Amino acid sequence: MSSQSLPQADGSAAAHKPLNSPAEVIGASLVGTTVEFYDFYVYATAAVLVFPKLFFPSVNHTAALLASFGVFGAAMVARPVGAIFYGHMGDKSGRKATLVACLLTMGVATFCVGILPTYGQVGILAPALLLILRLTQGFALGGEWSGAALVATENAPENKRALYGTFPQLGAPIGFIIANGLFLIINYSLPHPDGSAMQSDAFLSWGWRIPFLFSAVMVAIGLWVRSKLAESETFKQAEKQGVIVKVPLFDTLRHHFKAVVLGTFAMLATYVLFYLMTTFSLTYGTASSSASPAGLGIEYTDFVLMQIIGVVFFGLFTLLSGPLADVVGRRKLLIWVTVIIIVFALMFPIFLDDKSGTSFSGALVEAFLILGFTLMGFTFGPMGALLPEMFPTNVRYTGSAIAYNVSSIIGAALAPIIATALWSAAGGSTWMVGVYLAAASVLTLVALLLTHETKDMDYNGDLGVSD
């Protein structure tokens, strides 16, 4: 197989008329990624506050915490497997059916976490079931993003593909705000007379289950929205031309391996920045200033509210990045944003190493969060168009899914571990963490320089045909 443009049935590759309304496209592409990131934030919080106590009891708190994070990281390993499975399904059977399957699988697994018995009730079976459900979540998430991105971009009007590609990306800030907002509401609603935020008896008994059970509401809405979708005309044309391949994975690796590698590293800085701004910054910000390694000593609820302010900028600039990428091009925009991320990374100590606890140091931290999340919006937004555009229609789901999810292992799965180790090695300073982000960004910059601009490609006519 090789990639080549073919005309549409009416003889014009440009004669592409979306079959779904803008509202249907926005809803179908946004809801799944919102649930995806909502699930990540809910699980990450529970992995620190709840699971070590209820599922991994140990006399050593650190061992219990590491076991909890180990299950959390297991999802990252399962995601590339899901990418291959759902990529195959999406490139063979269509985008609509695959997206419904992803969301249903993810929704059932997340809901089941909320009704799991604890270690005290069923013993070792409890963490085993938690691991199985976490692997199931990761498996489903492996196919979610690419399908959502394809629904958005393959139904986009002419010259608005990057704008439509930002719709699934908005799931990250929206999911963050919903998940953390819900945890804050639960925290303020339940009594915790011991003063330990979100660790009251009521929270540990049943309060922690609410966010997992609530995901069923969003999944139900998502399934309803996605059931109303029509299959994209682009995929229908690929079927009509007879260019659907038997094993998309083989064709992807045989003819588009370079695109997979470049796409993986083009996404690397985005993943590392994302997890530093969310997971690591929360850990560093709430760690005691007298601990080893030392943190900022900010109360959990206060820091989450500071993060939510930053995430508002994340959402705004994600949306803004789409029209900008449609005008100047994905590659040019991402190159400049990546250069700025490198500069930002080397400034970490200026923003974060003042542990005096004064209003000035607090303002520096908020400025760090706003600037970091703004850059996150600018680098994350165009990826919804860039990665799918690197592959022809008949392997687009598989290729973009593999690149996106392999990058999640290199960047997302390793970022919190590497950042924590560097923070500790630097004696509580963040300068080495910044260097780590800068190094990842350099790799992304090289990948972007080796790619071609995809803004003006014949996206709906590039079906992929047999030699």
Side-chain angles (χ1 to χ4, degrees), residues 328-365:
V328 304
R330 298 80 161 106
R331 180 175 178 270
K332 182 182 294 185
L333 175 60
L334 287 170
I335 285 174
W336 280 107
V337 172
T338 304
V339 170
I340 297 173
I341 291 174
I342 294 172
V343 175
F344 170 70
L346 298 178
M347 295 174 65
F348 269 30
I350 297 175
F351 289 107
L352 297 177
D353 282 6
D354 184 350
K355 298 180 174 65
S356 62
T358 63
S359 57
F360 177 72
S361 65
L364 283 175
V365 174

Side-chain angles (χ1 to χ4, degrees), residues 40 72-73 76 79 267-276 279 404-418 436:
F40 163 76
F72 173 73
M76 299 299 178
R79 282 176 65 164
M267 188 75 192
L268 180 62
T270 304
Y271 262 125
V272 174
L273 176 62
F274 175 72
Y275 282 83
L276 292 185
T279 306
Y404 183 83
N405 288 289
V406 170
S407 187
S408 78
I409 294 180
I410 301 174
L414 297 179
I417 300 171
I418 294 175
Y436 165 53

Side-chain angles (χ1 to χ4, degrees), residues 114-158:
I115 60 174
L116 274 182
T118 64
Y119 186 91
Q121 295 171 317
V122 297
I124 194 66
L125 182 61
L129 290 173
L130 182 64
L131 175 61
I132 291 171
L133 290 176
R134 187 59 183 160
L135 289 170
T136 303
Q137 288 176 325
F139 181 79
L141 295 180
E144 169 59 41
W145 178 86
S146 293
L150 266 57
V151 163
T153 55
E154 289 185 347
N155 286 280
E158 189 176 359

Side-chain angles (χ1 to χ4, degrees), residues 174-394:
I174 293 174
F176 183 97
I177 292 172
I178 295 175
N180 286 283
L182 185 55
F183 265 114
L184 289 178
I185 291 171
I186 295 171
N187 175 47
Y188 285 120
S189 300
L190 296 178
H192 38 83
D194 59 355
S196 181
M198 291 198 290
Q199 298 198 31
S200 65
D201 290 340
F203 184 83
L204 290 175
S205 176
W206 56 269
W208 69 271
R209 299 180 183 273
I210 296 175
F212 290 96
L213 300 178
F214 179 73
S215 68
V217 176
M218 294 191 291
V219 170
I221 295 172
L223 290 173
W224 177 75
V225 171
R226 287 183 173 178
S227 69
K228 297 169 67 67
L229 275 180
E231 187 59 75
S232 76
E233 184 63 27
T234 304
F235 181 79
K236 287 184 176 181
Q237 285 298 322
E239 283 187 313
K240 188 177 296 185
Q241 295 288 347
V243 298
I244 302 300
V245 294
K246 291 183 179 180
V247 185
L249 174 63
F250 293 165
D251 191 81
T252 300
L253 296 180
R254 180 182 176 188
H255 297 291
H256 308 284
F257 183 74
K258 179 180 178 181
V260 170
V261 174
L262 292 178
T264 297
F265 283 97
M267 188 75 192
L268 180 62
T270 304
Y271 262 125
V272 174
L273 176 62
F274 175 72
Y275 282 83
L276 292 185
M277 296 306 303
T278 54
T279 306
F280 174 76
S281 69
L282 180 61
T283 303
Y284 177 77
T286 57
S288 172
S289 57
S290 60
S292 180
L296 297 176
I298 301 174
E299 290 293 328
Y300 173 86
T301 52
D302 292 338
F303 196 85
V304 170
L305 287 172
M306 294 172 71
Q307 281 188 314
I308 288 176
I309 293 172
V311 169
V312 171
F313 286 83
F314 180 11
L316 290 174
F317 285 95
T318 295
L319 196 57
L320 179 62
S321 71
L324 191 57
D326 277 326
V327 173
V328 304
R330 298 80 161 106
R331 180 175 178 270
K332 182 182 294 185
L333 175 60
L334 287 170
I335 285 174
W336 280 107
V337 172
T338 304
V339 170
I340 297 173
I341 291 174
I342 294 172
V343 175
F344 170 70
L346 298 178
M347 295 174 65
F348 269 30
I350 297 175
F351 289 107
L352 297 177
D353 282 6
D354 184 350
K355 298 180 174 65
S356 62
T358 63
S359 57
F360 177 72
S361 65
L364 283 175
V365 174
E366 188 61 65
F368 167 81
L369 292 171
I370 290 174
L371 180 54
F373 278 118
T374 295
L375 291 172
M376 186 63 213
F378 272 124
T379 186
F380 191 53
M383 291 297 174
L386 176 67
L387 292 186
E389 287 171 348
M390 296 177 74
F391 303 92
T393 300
N394 63 349

Side-chain angles (χ1 to χ4, degrees), residues 1-10 13 15-16 19 89-95 150 154 231-246 248 251 391-397 458-466:
M1 296 292 298
S2 63
S3 172
Q4 157 182 338
S5 295
L6 286 179
Q8 300 286 332
D10 63 359
H16 168 68
L19 301 177
M89 184 177 174
D91 284 328
K92 289 276 290 184
S93 304
R95 310 344 185 177
L150 266 57
E154 289 185 347
E231 187 59 75
S232 76
E233 184 63 27
T234 304
F235 181 79
K236 287 184 176 181
Q237 285 298 322
E239 283 187 313
K240 188 177 296 185
Q241 295 288 347
V243 298
I244 302 300
V245 294
K246 291 183 179 180
D251 191 81
F391 303 92
T393 300
N394 63 349
V395 295
R396 186 171 290 149
Y397 205 129
D458 186 7
Y459 192 66
N460 300 303
D462 190 6
L463 304 179
V465 297
S466 300

Side-chain angles (χ1 to χ4, degrees), residues 27-76:
S29 59
L30 177 59
V31 69
T33 51
T34 297
V35 175
E36 171 187 353
F37 286 101
Y38 170 88
D39 167 69
F40 163 76
Y41 298 124
V42 166
Y43 194 99
T45 301
V48 176
L49 300 176
V50 177
F51 294 156
K53 296 180 177 64
L54 300 185
F55 289 88
F56 304 98
S58 171
V59 293
N60 187 322
H61 173 70
T62 300
L65 187 60
L66 287 174
S68 181
F69 275 127
V71 173
F72 173 73
M76 299 299 178

